[in-house]
Amino acid sequence: MDVSVEHLMYVREDEYTVARVSAEGVPDFVASGRALAGVQPGEALRLTGDWSEHPRHGRHFAVTACERVAPATVRAIRLYLGSGLIRGIGPRLAHAIVSHFGEATLTVVDTEPERLTEVVGIGPTRQAQIVQAWEEQKAIAELMVVLQGYGVSPLLATKIHQVFGDSAGEVLACDPYRLIGRVRGIAFGIADRIALRSGVPEDSPERIKAALLDTLETAAGRDGHCYLPSEVLVARAAELAGQDREPVRRQVDALTAERRVVVEASPDGQDRPVVYAKYVHSRELRLTAHLTRLRRAASALPAHRPPDDPGLHAEQRAAVAMALANTVSVLTGGPGCGKSHTVKAVAAAVKQAGGTVTLTAPTGKAARRLSELTGMPAMTVHRMLAHRPDSDSGALFTRTPAQADLIVVDEASMLDLHLATRLTAAVPDGCHLLLVGDSDQLPSVAPGNVLADLLRVETIPRTRLTHVFRQAADSGIIQAAHRIRAGRMPVTPGRSGFWFEETDDPSSVAERVVHLATVAIPRKQGVDPDQVQVLAPMRRGATGTAELGRRLQERLNPAREGVAEHWSGATVYRVGDRVMSIRNNYDKGVFNGTTGVVTEIVQQDRIVEVRTDDGESVPYGFGELDELTHAYAISVHRAQGSEYPFVVAPIVAEAGGVMLYRRLLYTLVTRARSWVVLVGQREALETAVHRFGHPRNTGLARRLALSLRD
């Protein structure tokens, strides 16, 4: 049966898709099935399946097979061209084109595209854009068919085409392992399925090398490791590839000879070799060199006096003196201990002496919070590094923010190996670099554990603030946080700000979290639901960010007549959605953690417009939407550096509670400013309080200790 897709109704994470479709001679009906994965409104399909009656949607077609075909009728052609599938053609222009060419429209576009200029409103420039978009769409459609033949999701076709363009088909046929790490969403499993079906032998050296490199990437991306012990790497890669360990060991040697990995002695002093991906090893060496250079450089600070601030505690005075006396130093401490006030005092002393100060943080929210707490301007590390001298100023040389006399990096626990290397490379000799952060919080999302590593190096000056100020001590949030840090249950009777709602029924937790976030807290506190942030330890499961986010979106921003929406995989974006960037995009000036609101969806141009919280309007092409995620419910890791008036979070032992551990719980609780409400099982909360997370494999501390000793 040939149909046209009118609109998507629902897409599950496993790609099960529900769509409303139309066909000649029958009323519109609902079709569903995993075979519909990747279809878009406007597409013409040939469906195979069975009819049934759905109690809610009426007549229903269960799809067992789906084939994309060219739309045959004038209405179907108009729907296809006007759906936004072909960039540059909207409903109005589609109507004009089809009115002019009729049933021959697609033949004209495909074989005689120069004739498009016969249509009023299409000049040479628009015609060229339409032809390019048409060719891209054809190539993507062909890739979808190829991927389905390999048993791989057709949803990956657009991403593959974006990276490899016209050579995508050749890559799939000849070297599918090149997809790993280049195309988001493709790891060894998918690339290997394509390779094996293409005839690559299971014991192929290239296959085993791909398994080894993917194992290192997984350890870096999932666990934050910079290296793996050689035997651990071999064992994991052998299991991944289904091979004996000996041939895998040989390919470690081959990768070493090719300079794609580096093997060296274990940084922890144990008699075992470890293996780094080459780029990670290089960054660790460079970060060590830059920190050594900065630590050994003579101070360029102007002559200064200790700050005259009677409100400083003795610990804070010691921290100020440390930062002013040393070119590299670390300030750490828990919530309520006065880190921000100390930073303000250090900066004031430098400014009073005529020096320059740059305050910075890894995310926009952390930078804004730093600015609010200190009363001074602050920027993200990325913006500081992207700043260039003003060539129109007339000056021979203009200092950039990275060339200040003092640079303060707040929320330094978020610094990963890559960002820390870029940061220190930009700092000139003599500048004072003060890293400020809570060492008990989660480490960075990306590989490395920079703040914790620096605190392990005795020759790096550090001050830990432990005195909790009286005003902070009255906060139930801060009391709970310090109890968690000490390994005690965060039960604070009589304190406002922290609440644990215990339930023995984990199946009810998700609905309770949604109700608290959308109804109970806004009503009781007299605030908008936007002031309540839902956090979760995991992404998957009934209480993971994906499912909670879907429920919250349906409650706060459901599908409405006349409100534009676009499905990208299992995610639907609607005007009014809260979103967050999950990747750095230097071309757009948007960085990981930037939040905003979807303000417009332009089907004709295939873009989603996002207004960031910084007030900038940023367009995302439909093919770039994997750089965004909904911000209705976010992971604790992604909440680092941010603070919200109210936080609600599930605490359940799903998947064995592997994501429940002390640092995560401590970070979660300290994201709230007024109230944090935990909902779940007491045993899960006890697990989180008493369990330590796995340490990260990094070599920075040992390298830096040796470098500074020489």
Side-chain angles (χ1 to χ4, degrees), residues 405-465:
D405 296 301
L406 168 69
I407 296 175
V408 179
V409 183
D410 197 19
E411 296 289 354
S413 62
M414 298 177 67
L415 284 178
D416 59 69
L417 186 63
H418 175 60
L419 185 57
T421 303
R422 291 186 62 221
L423 166 68
T424 53
V427 178
D429 291 352
C431 171
H432 283 227
L433 178 63
L434 174 61
L435 301 178
V436 182
D438 188 341
S439 58
D440 293 308
Q441 286 190 22
L442 287 170
S444 58
V445 176
N449 200 1
V450 175
L451 181 65
D453 283 346
L454 292 182
L455 289 170
R456 291 168 54 200
V457 181
E458 293 182 359
T459 48
I460 298 290
R462 85 287 311 274
T463 299
R464 173 181 282 276
L465 302 179

Side-chain angles (χ1 to χ4, degrees), residues 79-119:
L79 178 64
Y80 175 70
L81 288 181
S83 66
L85 280 168
I86 308 302
R87 188 175 59 254
I89 302 180
R92 185 174 300 177
L93 189 57
H95 181 81
I97 294 172
V98 177
S99 296
H100 187 78
F101 295 113
E103 292 184 355
T105 295
L106 297 185
T107 301
V108 170
V109 175
D110 194 38
T111 63
E112 301 178 275
E114 66 279 358
R115 291 188 60 195
L116 286 170
T117 56
E118 297 174 13
V119 179

Side-chain angles (χ1 to χ4, degrees), residues 523-558:
R523 180 186 297 159
K524 184 172 183 178
Q525 299 295 330
V527 299
D528 190 272
D530 285 348
Q531 298 293 300
V532 186
Q533 180 62 57
V534 173
L535 303 181
M538 349 179 17
R539 182 181 181 278
R540 299 188 182 278
T543 57
T545 58
E547 177 60 19
L548 286 172
R550 184 189 66 79
R551 289 180 180 229
L552 288 162
Q553 183 192 33
E554 287 306 305
R555 192 73 58 87
L556 297 171
N557 193 27

Side-chain angles (χ1 to χ4, degrees), residues 291-353:
L291 285 169
T292 302
R293 169 181 61 82
L294 295 174
R295 176 76 181 108
R296 288 177 172 171
S299 172
L301 272 187
H304 53 269
R305 294 180 301 172
D308 184 19
D309 186 345
L312 290 176
H313 185 267
E315 288 180 342
Q316 292 175 303
R317 290 185 180 279
V320 172
M322 170 197 72
L324 294 175
N326 294 278
T327 51
V328 177
S329 58
V330 178
L331 172 63
T332 187
C337 293
K339 294 191 297 295
S340 298
H341 193 73
T342 305
V343 168
K344 186 175 181 179
V346 176
V350 173
K351 285 189 169 184
Q352 286 171 6

Side-chain angles (χ1 to χ4, degrees), residues 212 215 227-239 245-246 248-250 252 263 271-275:
L212 284 162
T215 300
Y227 67 80
L228 284 177
S230 180
E231 282 305 305
V232 172
L233 171 63
V234 167
R236 291 183 184 178
E239 182 178 2
R245 295 189 182 187
E246 191 51 43
V248 177
R249 286 193 187 93
R250 289 198 294 270
V252 173
V263 180
D271 185 20
R272 56 175 186 173
V274 300
V275 184

